[in-house]
């Protein structure tokens, strides 16, 4: 499936170094520990995980904001990982981004016209008038209009600012847009407006999205496939509906169960089935083994010794969990998991 | 990591605007003074009544007269003429030295701040070496190399003052380069130079402009100093500095000599500072535009007439801990009016009960919590209503009594535990301090109780963790500590403001369970402020939905989710990510939450409501007995619960 992929990530490693006393490279910390992901043209991959899972590090590596410390990021014919962070302009223009915080992602001293046309100024030789025409066109795509061109970001609400950020990301007609928590800073009533907008533009313009978010339910609405990250590892990947409705990996399951639902009665039942848990110690785990083993109710001795490889799951996709080692359809362990 | 827009109303712009209009006249005066200065500098020869160097020893040290408007100096030279010629030196001195300082300091500071690494290390060590030597000595050393004279002195001062520009530019770039818009610019493919000059520079201009105006003043004074020790302007040429040094020598004989150059320096420096402030406000982030006025503005005079009606008051409940009636919080506007942020809010909470205060940003939910504690910022005023806690109206209590109530009877847990705990002290000492101050426990007793509390909130190895600093704990742990601190005085009311919003969802679940557990044990009432209806469904007994500064619905939690009665509640419920299980288009509420001051005159939700009728143009009261709703069509509308 990696042959026709637009973006294909293999064994990606992202490492951050602390600083020692004299300013030299200190202790290394692997934020991403060998991730595999793939996105086809015009499709959306939702990348879900909690804080510290490494999902934003993958986004930053794809965008060339941090260098990869190993592995490949194939985008079309080029390996982005090999270029470190110095992408040639034609590649740069094809990968754009929308960030989480619409209050700091727009330059406060620029007008909307400056912000939306900045990619055109950097990458094209369009005249001012041509850029303005294109800017009006782009604002139309995000349901804003020409009258907004001269305004500054602070004159807009959070939802409108995010529309401006999307218009700017669309300016160069990119093939891939990395959406890093695009709606989590917005009000509930505005979130869906932005999700709907992203969905419509994707189908219209044939853009692929890498959607980073912490909320599986939200990601499920718009993604074709979903990948779940935990402590730098991708623990599960598969078609959106399968991951959301029939999560395989114990962590994905825990993640879904922890999200409160809008039904007080259901919440009561869920509460009854668990009792107040003490705070967990920060896991200080040996390098080998499953990253989730100390929280996993199904942990086995071998989970300590060996990192589980990706096993295929019924309904599509993979889970990095020994419970799925048995041939599809026969796993008694999996039955146990489903019953739990 | 999730973040939620803060609820804080945009109070600052209106205050700023009032200040700006008030100072317009001063700006005109300052501009006129600077224009006069430049004019005099250019045409000093034509304007000045006498030759500034012509001596007349007979008429020395004269007081102002018709012939010599500002008198004469020790050599009988006309002070006014010397003052006018001094303008020329002042303009040259300030212009030259400041320009040199900016041209050297700003580019280097920008570069090393953005680039970092060993460039930064080397340059900063050199700068530190320079600033560790007294400035005047550095100037003397530079002048010893260059020779004396006005221009050379100004080069020396320029080099000296460039270090402050360099350090300032580096500092602000260090902070600015982490902004998300810089990342956006890098993703777009803008070069380093373009990012630095086109994106970052306009945003860091304000502090640099302030530094410029301060430097001009400092240069004028430094010129006087250098001239005084004979390294700057050479006698007999007139500069304000040399005039001052002359005046210093004749202080006893003729004190008036110091007045004209002194006033000239003061006026010039003041004018430049004022103009600098105006330029700063006009550049980049300084722009603050008042709240948009394009939306319909409610008539606030009419609004004030709506007295808290009896129907709007929640019925008395058994074991009431807190009862708020008719609460109104306002902010002063530019035109001296009072803009309401919360109006006519009434609620009550019983012992052992959790009331959810749910709403989006701008709904006033956080502000309500702060107003109950009396912790609103100075720009805000609680103008109406009563806040009765355990039988006493907090609004009538003197300030000292309220401070006793806070922490003893009511405690608060905030959204971000890592900032609500003081990073400089261990978490245990922060809890123990409260116990000693409020309960008068001994040091060892307070510590023992602290460890007990930390254990109670489910933290393993409590004795060890009590000695940890906040940054050594995860977000969930830190929030547990914040809860332990809030519980240390056994409050009867706990106000929790989005206490799980900054946490991961699996940790959120643990914290919610902890709240419930502790409530069962301690029996406190909880006011739980959240934007997340699903969280409210888990933790709350009753929920009050807020929109645009007022309560629109209040109901028992089961009733609210089974059958919402206000169209806004229904809209919110169906917009929650878990509410629908389908592909887009997802249900939305059109438009966005209006800012305070742009609320529709009648029903505040009317401009976004699908069920609006003509009658919604009037103010709608909160009606009902058991469950309250602020909708004129509540009885006829049958709103389905989400899914």
């Amino acid at each position: 499936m990696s042959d026709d992929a637009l973006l294909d990530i293999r064994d990606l490693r992202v490492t951050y170094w602390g600083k020692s006393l004299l300013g030299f490279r200190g202790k290394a910390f692997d934020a991403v520990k060998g991730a595999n992901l793939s996105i086809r043209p015009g499709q959306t991959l939702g990348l879900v995980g909690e804080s510290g899972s490494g999902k934003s590090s993958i986004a930053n590596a794809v965008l060339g904001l941090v260098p990869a410390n190993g592995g490949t990021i194939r985008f079309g014919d080029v390996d982005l990982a090999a270029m470190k962070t110095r992408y040639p302009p034609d590649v740069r223009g094809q990968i754009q981004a929308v960030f989480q915080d619409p209050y700091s992602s727009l330059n406060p001293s620029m007008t909307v016209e400056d912000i939306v046309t900045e990619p055109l100024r950097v990458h094209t030789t369009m005249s001012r008038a041509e850029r303005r025409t294109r800017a009006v066109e782009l604002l139309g795509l995000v349901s804003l209009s020409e009258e907004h061109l001269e305004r500054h970001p602070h004159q807009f609400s959070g939802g409108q600012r995010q529309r401006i950020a999307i218009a700017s990301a669309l300016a160069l007609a990119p093939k891939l847009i990395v959406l890093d928590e695009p709606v989590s800073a917005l009000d509930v009533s505005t979130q869906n407006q932005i999700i709907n907008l992203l969905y419509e533009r994707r189908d219209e313009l044939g853009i692929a999205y890498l959607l980073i978010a912490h909320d599986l339910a939200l990601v499920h609405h718009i993604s074709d496939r979903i990948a779940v990250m935990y402590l730098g590892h991708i623990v599960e990947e598969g078609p959106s509906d399968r991951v959301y409705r029939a999560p395989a990996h114990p962590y994905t399951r825990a993640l879904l169960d922890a999200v409160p639902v809008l039904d007080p009665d259901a919440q009561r039942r869920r509460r009854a089935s668990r009792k107040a848990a003490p705070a967990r110690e920060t896991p200080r785990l040996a390098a080998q083994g499953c990253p989730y083993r100390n929280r996993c109710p199904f942990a086995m001795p071998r989970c300590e010794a060996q990192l589980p490889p990706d096993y295929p799951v019924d309904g599509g996709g993979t889970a990095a969990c020994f419970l799925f080692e048995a041939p599809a359809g026969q796993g008694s362990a999996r039955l146990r998991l489903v019953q739990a | 990591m999730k973040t939620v827009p803060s609820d804080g109303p945009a109070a600052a712009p209106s205050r700023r605007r009032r200040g700006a209009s008030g100072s317009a006249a001063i700006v005109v005066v300052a501009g006129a003074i600077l224009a006069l200065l430049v004019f005099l500098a250019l045409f000093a020869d034509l304007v000045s009544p006498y030759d500034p160097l012509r001596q007349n020893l007979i008429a020395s040290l004269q007081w102002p007269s018709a012939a010599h408007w500002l008198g004469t100096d020790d050599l009988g030279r006309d002070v006014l003429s010397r003052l006018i010629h001094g303008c020329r030196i002042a303009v040259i001195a300030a212009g030259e030295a400041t320009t040199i300082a900016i041209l050297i300091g700003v580019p280097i500071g920008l570069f090393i701040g953005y680039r970092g690494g060993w460039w930064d290390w080397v340059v900063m060590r050199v700068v530190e070496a320079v600033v560790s030597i007294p400035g005047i000595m550095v100037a003397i050393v530079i002048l010893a190399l260059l020779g004396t004279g006005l221009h050379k002195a100004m080069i020396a001062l320029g080099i000296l003052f460039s270090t402050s520009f360099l350090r300032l530019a580096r500092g602000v770039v260090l902070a600015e380069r982490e902004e998300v818009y810089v990342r956006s610019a890098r993703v777009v493919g803008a070069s380093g130079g373009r990012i630095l000059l086109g994106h970052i520079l306009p945003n860091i201009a304000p502090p640099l402009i302030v530094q410029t105006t301060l430097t001009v003043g400092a240069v004028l004074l430094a010129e006087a100093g250098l001239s005084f020790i004979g390294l700057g302007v050479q006698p007999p040429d007139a500069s304000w500095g040399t005039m001052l040094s002359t005046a210093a020598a004749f202080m006893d004989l003729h004190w008036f000599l110091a007045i004209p150059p002194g006033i000239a320096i003061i006026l010039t420096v003041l004018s430049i500072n004022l103009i600098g402030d105006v330029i700063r406000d006009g550049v980049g982030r300084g722009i603050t535009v008042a709240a948009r006025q394009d939306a319909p503005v409610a008539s606030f005079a009419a609004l004030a007439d709506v007295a808290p009606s009896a129907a709007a008051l929640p019925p008395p409940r058994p074991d009431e801990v807190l009862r708020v009636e008719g609460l109104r919080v306002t902010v002063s506007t530019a035109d001296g009016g009072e803009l309401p942020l919360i109006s006519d809010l009434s609620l009550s909470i019983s012992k052992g009960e959790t009331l959810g205060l749910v709403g989006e940003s701008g709904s006033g939910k956080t502000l309500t919590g702060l107003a109950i504690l009396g912790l609103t910022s100075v720009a805000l005023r609680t103008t109406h209503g009563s806040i009765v806690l355990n039988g006493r109206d907090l609004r009538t209590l003197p300030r000292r009594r309220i401070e006793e109530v806070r922490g003893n009877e009511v405690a608060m847990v905030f959204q971000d535990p890592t900032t609500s705990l003081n990073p400089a002290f261990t978490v245990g000492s922060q809890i123990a301090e409260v116990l000693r101050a409020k309960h008068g426990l001994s040091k060892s007793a307070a510590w023992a109780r602290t460890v007990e509390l930390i254990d109670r909130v489910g933290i393993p190895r409590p004795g060890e963790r009590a000695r940890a600093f906040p940054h050594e704990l995860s977000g969930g742990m830190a929030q547990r500590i914040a809860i332990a601190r809030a519980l240390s005085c056994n409050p009867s009311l706990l106000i929790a403001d989005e206490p799980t919003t900054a946490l991961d969802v699996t940790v959120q679940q643990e914290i919610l369970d902890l709240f419930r557990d502790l409530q069962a044990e301690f029996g406190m009432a909880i006011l739980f402020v959240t934007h997340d209806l699903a969280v409210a469904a888990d933790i709350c007994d009753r929920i009050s939905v807020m929109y645009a500064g007022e309560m629109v619905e209040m109901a028992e939690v089961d009733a609210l989710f089974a059958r919402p009665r206000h169209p806004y509640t229904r809209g919110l419920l169906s917009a929650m990510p878990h509410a629908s299980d389908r592909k887009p288009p997802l249900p939305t509420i059109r438009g966005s939450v209006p800012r305070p001051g742009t609320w529709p005159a009648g029903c505040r939700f009317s401009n976004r409501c699908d069920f609006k009728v003509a009658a919604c143009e009037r103010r709608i009261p909160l009606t009902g007995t058991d469950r309250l709703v602020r909708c004129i069509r509540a009885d006829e509308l049958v709103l389905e619960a989400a899914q």
Side-chain angles (χ1 to χ4, degrees):
Chain A
M1 88 167 225
S2 59
D3 283 347
D4 55 352
L6 171 71
L7 181 79
D8 193 61
I9 297 175
R10 292 292 130 200
D11 303 321
L12 177 66
R13 257 171 199 286
V14 179
T15 307
Y16 299 103
W17 279 273
K19 256 193 191 152
S20 69
L21 208 58
L22 292 171
F24 297 111
R25 247 180 199 190
K27 227 171 152 186
F29 167 73
D30 286 328
V32 181
K33 303 168 183 171
N36 299 317
L37 284 175
S38 184
I39 308 178
R40 293 172 194 231
Q43 297 239 302
T44 301
L45 174 73
L47 186 55
V48 179
E50 295 183 293
S51 52
S53 62
K55 57 189 193 301
S56 288
S57 295
I58 290 190
N60 288 339
V62 170
L63 291 169
L65 294 175
V66 297
N69 185 39
T72 58
I73 306 173
R74 197 170 58 71
F75 179 76
D77 308 324
V78 294
D79 178 13
L80 303 178
M83 297 173 185
K84 295 299 172 188
T85 58
R86 300 211 173 96
Y87 295 1
D90 58 320
V91 173
R92 232 338 143 203
Q94 288 179 26
I95 308 174
Q96 292 296 299
V98 175
F99 294 105
Q100 171 179 343
D101 184 358
Y103 291 87
S104 64
S105 68
L106 304 182
N107 191 331
S109 64
M110 291 177 136
T111 63
V112 170
E113 181 175 3
D114 290 337
I115 291 167
V116 172
T117 58
E118 175 70 5
L120 303 175
R121 284 199 298 268
V122 172
H123 287 276
T124 70
T125 54
M126 287 165 95
S127 70
R128 193 182 157 78
E130 286 170 328
R131 287 200 307 260
R132 195 183 171 91
T133 311
R134 175 77 176 138
V136 174
E137 206 175 286
L138 288 165
L139 286 186
L141 285 175
V142 296
S143 310
L144 292 173
S145 59
E146 190 170 358
E147 58 174 304
H148 297 119
L149 280 179
E150 308 298 333
R151 296 196 193 161
H152 285 267
H154 68 264
Q155 291 166 284
F156 294 90
S157 68
Q160 287 173 315
R161 286 170 184 234
Q162 211 55 318
R163 288 173 193 272
I164 295 166
I166 293 169
S168 177
L170 292 173
L172 296 169
K175 289 183 180 159
L176 175 70
I177 298 183
V178 176
L179 305 165
D180 192 353
E181 299 271 12
V183 300
S184 58
L186 301 180
D187 275 324
V188 180
S189 67
T190 326
Q191 283 188 352
N192 287 0
Q193 296 173 1
I194 299 298
I195 291 289
N196 290 345
L197 172 74
L198 288 169
Y199 193 76
E200 284 164 28
R201 294 295 90 84
R202 184 192 76 169
D203 284 3
E204 223 171 81
L205 308 172
I207 309 164
Y209 292 147
L210 173 58
L211 171 61
I212 316 282
H214 64 272
D215 187 341
L216 239 167
L218 186 128
V219 168
H220 165 241
H221 290 311
I222 178 170
S223 300
D224 299 291
R225 296 184 79 85
I226 295 179
V228 181
M229 278 195 90
Y230 184 74
L231 292 182
H233 294 274
I234 290 175
V235 295
E236 177 162 5
E237 197 272 343
S240 173
D241 277 345
R242 204 278 294 150
V243 175
Y244 184 67
R245 288 183 221 282
H249 196 283
Y251 174 65
T252 315
R253 184 164 274 263
L255 200 59
L256 267 171
D257 281 347
V259 180
V261 291
L262 285 171
D263 180 349
D265 212 40
Q267 282 299 123
R268 250 171 243 135
R269 272 181 270 120
R270 289 166 62 162
R271 264 203 311 275
S273 68
R274 60 173 200 253
K275 62 181 215 298
R280 283 184 305 271
E281 305 270 352
T282 320
R284 256 186 228 101
L285 299 176
Q288 85 274 22
C290 172
Y292 191 60
R293 63 182 187 267
N294 66 335
R295 287 173 66 183
C296 182
F298 308 100
M300 301 175 274
R302 64 189 300 201
C303 302
E304 295 281 340
Q306 193 191 346
L307 179 71
D310 295 339
Y311 294 108
V313 176
D314 280 348
T318 57
C321 177
F322 289 121
L323 294 175
F324 295 87
E325 190 178 14
Q330 294 173 21
S332 59
R334 196 164 0 142
L335 275 178
R336 233 173 67 211
L337 181 60
V338 172
Q339 277 157 3
Chain B
M1 197 70 147
K2 343 178 201 183
T3 56
V4 142
S6 72
D7 249 341
S14 54
R15 275 166 66 208
R16 188 168 194 140
R17 192 158 141 248
R18 179 168 46 181
S21 61
S23 63
I26 300 173
V27 169
V28 171
V29 173
I33 289 173
L34 291 183
L36 179 68
L37 182 73
V38 174
F39 174 80
L40 292 179
L42 287 174
F43 303 106
D45 296 332
L46 300 175
V47 179
S48 58
Y50 298 94
D51 178 350
L53 303 183
R54 206 193 69 190
Q55 303 180 1
N56 181 0
L57 292 173
I58 299 163
S60 67
L61 296 179
Q62 284 186 352
W63 291 87
S65 63
H68 299 282
W69 290 3
L70 294 178
T72 59
D73 69 3
D74 57 323
L75 299 177
R77 294 172 295 198
D78 181 52
V79 171
L80 179 62
S81 301
R82 289 180 68 77
L83 194 68
I84 291 172
H85 277 83
C87 290
R88 181 175 285 173
I89 307 274
V91 169
I92 292 172
E96 265 186 4
T98 311
T99 307
I100 290 170
I102 293 173
L103 287 182
I104 296 176
V106 173
I108 297 179
L110 287 176
F111 176 76
I112 63 170
Y114 185 71
R115 186 68 182 267
W118 68 269
W119 285 99
D120 186 40
W121 197 91
V122 170
V123 173
M124 285 315 289
R125 295 301 87 78
V126 172
V127 169
E128 280 159 16
V130 170
V131 296
S132 66
I133 306 167
I136 204 78
M137 294 239 324
V138 177
I140 290 171
V141 169
I142 298 172
L143 283 173
L145 297 173
L146 297 177
T148 55
L150 175 65
H151 297 292
K152 286 165 180 164
M154 290 309 116
I155 292 172
L157 286 180
I159 294 172
L160 185 63
F161 283 113
S162 70
T163 55
S164 52
F165 278 98
L166 188 154
R167 294 206 294 177
L168 180 69
R170 171 182 176 270
V172 286
V173 166
L174 276 181
E176 205 70 16
R177 71 172 186 185
E178 302 303 325
E179 289 283 321
V180 185
Y181 74 80
V182 176
R183 260 201 293 164
S184 302
R186 285 173 63 193
V187 167
V188 160
S191 62
R194 187 180 178 92
I195 290 175
L196 213 42
L197 298 179
H199 292 256
I200 294 180
L201 187 58
N203 289 306
I204 64 166
L208 292 175
I209 290 168
V210 173
Q211 182 66 31
T212 304
T213 60
L214 294 176
T215 304
V216 168
V219 165
L220 286 178
L221 298 177
E223 180 268 319
L226 284 179
S227 299
F228 183 73
I229 57 173
L231 295 174
V233 176
Q234 299 301 311
D237 281 344
S239 83
W240 295 349
T242 53
M243 289 174 75
L244 267 187
S245 52
T246 306
F250 291 89
M251 211 56 189
D252 296 338
L253 284 171
H254 194 69
W255 56 266
F256 184 77
L257 271 186
I259 302 295
I263 289 181
I265 291 175
I266 291 171
L267 281 181
T268 308
V269 173
L270 260 183
S271 304
I272 287 173
N273 279 324
L274 282 169
I275 296 285
D277 284 354
V278 172
I279 297 173
R280 178 198 64 198
D281 287 351
V283 172
R285 232 169 250 180
I287 304 173
T288 347
V289 174
R292 271 180 307 164
Q293 298 295 328
D294 47 18
V297 177
S299 156
F300 295 117
L303 200 148
D305 293 340
V306 182
S309 56
L313 297 181
R317 304 177 65 80
D319 276 342
E320 238 171 29
V321 173
L322 174 75
R323 184 175 185 83
V324 175
E325 284 186 10
L327 185 71
R328 181 147 180 247
V329 180
T330 63
V331 60
S332 308
T333 57
D335 48 16
E338 294 279 308
L339 184 64
L341 301 174
I342 296 174
S343 57
D344 190 15
L345 183 85
S346 304
L347 51 86
S348 72
I349 316 178
S350 307
K351 192 171 183 319
E353 185 193 35
T354 303
L355 174 71
L357 212 49
V358 174
E360 298 179 285
S361 55
S363 65
K365 58 186 191 305
T366 293
L367 191 54
T368 303
L370 293 174
I372 290 171
L373 280 167
L375 285 177
T376 51
S377 70
V378 283
L380 307 183
R381 292 199 307 139
T382 304
T383 57
H384 289 75
S386 59
I387 301 164
V388 180
L389 181 73
N390 295 325
R392 283 177 309 172
D393 189 346
L394 298 184
R395 283 201 61 211
T396 62
L397 286 185
R399 178 182 286 266
R400 288 224 1 228
R401 299 295 306 282
I402 290 183
E403 279 166 8
E404 281 170 30
V405 168
R406 269 185 228 145
N408 267 330
E409 293 175 47
V410 49
M412 188 149 186
V413 176
F414 296 92
Q415 171 171 337
D416 188 348
T418 51
T419 57
S420 70
L421 295 172
N422 190 330
F425 298 96
T426 63
V427 294
S429 69
Q430 296 184 50
I431 298 173
E433 182 212 334
V434 177
L435 288 167
R436 295 182 65 190
K438 300 267 178 182
H439 285 201
L441 293 186
S442 72
K443 200 169 177 180
S444 57
W447 189 258
R449 176 84 184 119
T450 298
V451 173
E452 207 175 297
L453 279 164
I454 293 178
D455 184 42
R456 182 62 201 85
V457 294
I459 293 182
R461 296 182 284 130
E464 193 179 316
R465 290 309 168 107
R467 291 190 173 78
F469 286 92
H471 69 267
E472 296 172 312
L473 301 177
S474 67
M477 291 268 199
Q479 193 62 297
R480 283 174 192 261
I481 294 285
I483 294 170
R485 187 176 58 171
L487 289 175
S488 60
C489 290
N490 207 353
S492 49
L493 173 67
L494 181 65
I495 298 177
D497 186 6
E498 304 266 12
T500 61
T501 303
L503 305 176
D504 279 326
V505 54
T506 50
V507 181
Q508 162 172 285
Q509 181 191 50
E510 295 169 8
I511 297 291
L512 291 178
D513 286 346
L514 177 66
F515 269 113
R516 191 173 283 278
D517 239 40
L518 294 171
Q519 190 178 40
E521 185 181 327
F522 292 85
M524 73 278 192
I526 300 180
L527 180 64
F528 198 98
V529 178
T530 180
H531 72 286
D532 189 333
L533 273 160
V535 167
D538 185 279
I539 188 81
C540 299
D541 301 304
R542 280 185 305 138
I543 292 178
S544 154
V545 181
M546 291 193 67
Y547 182 80
E550 63 187 8
M551 189 186 296
V552 295
E553 184 162 7
M554 153 116 78
E556 300 286 332
V557 64
D558 290 281
L560 187 89
F561 285 94
R563 207 168 83 82
R565 294 193 65 198
H566 197 285
Y568 175 64
T569 312
R570 207 277 305 250
L572 266 189
L573 284 173
S574 51
M576 293 293 292
H578 289 263
S580 64
D581 199 3
R582 60 193 180 99
K583 296 287 167 197
L586 304 173
T588 58
I589 306 176
R590 64 189 143 87
S592 56
V593 183
R595 301 181 195 194
T598 64
W599 295 335
C603 168
R604 291 181 193 161
F605 187 61
S606 58
N607 60 340
R608 303 176 71 191
C609 184
D610 292 332
F611 306 100
K612 186 188 171 187
V613 292
C616 299
E617 303 284 352
R618 293 197 311 268
R619 291 288 299 143
I620 315 288
L622 198 59
T623 55
T625 48
D626 223 17
R627 51 182 305 187
L628 306 171
V629 60
R630 194 187 291 274
C631 175
I632 204 162
R633 303 185 66 193
D635 288 332
E636 52 172 305
L637 292 177
V638 180
L639 303 173
E640 293 147 25
Q643 292 266 300

